[in-house]
Amino acid sequence: MIILLTYKEWLLKFINVDLPIGDIAKEVSVDPNFPNVKDYESIFSYLEGNHTSDSFMRVFEYSYKMYFDSTQK
């Protein structure tokens, strides 16, 4: 049985990475309201509603594509 991770679960695996993806993983780890879902629209809406910085949004966009590509196999 294959269990697909949510974006948040996937992202938190990068928490100790010394790159921008690790930085946003740390921020997400302390945000109790961050959506624990798989779909882009829910996460994007949440971030947009919280006036997320442009740099965070760029890393989110890139990392979500990585997440999506890695979970489609």
Side-chain angles (χ1 to χ4, degrees):
M1 179 167 118
I2 297 173
I3 298 174
L4 297 178
L5 299 173
T6 64
Y7 171 75
K8 181 178 181 178
E9 292 166 335
W10 177 87
L11 180 65
L12 293 179
K13 293 182 178 293
F14 295 90
I15 202 162
N16 292 317
V17 174
D18 191 21
L19 291 168
I21 194 170
D23 296 339
I24 72 166
K26 288 177 186 124
E27 288 187 45
V28 166
S29 75
V30 297
D31 181 352
N33 299 315
F34 191 89
N36 194 19
V37 297
K38 297 174 187 169
D39 70 290
Y40 173 88
E41 295 301 325
S42 296
I43 300 166
F44 184 85
S45 294
Y46 174 78
L47 293 173
E48 195 173 54
N50 285 295
H51 308 290
T52 305
S53 71
D54 289 343
S55 60
F56 188 107
M57 289 302 285
R58 281 192 299 275
V59 177
F60 162 68
E61 294 285 345
Y62 179 76
S63 65
Y64 189 87
K65 182 179 179 346
M66 289 173 42
Y67 161 73
F68 183 82
D69 290 347
S70 73
T71 58
Q72 296 306 301
K73 297 180 184 202

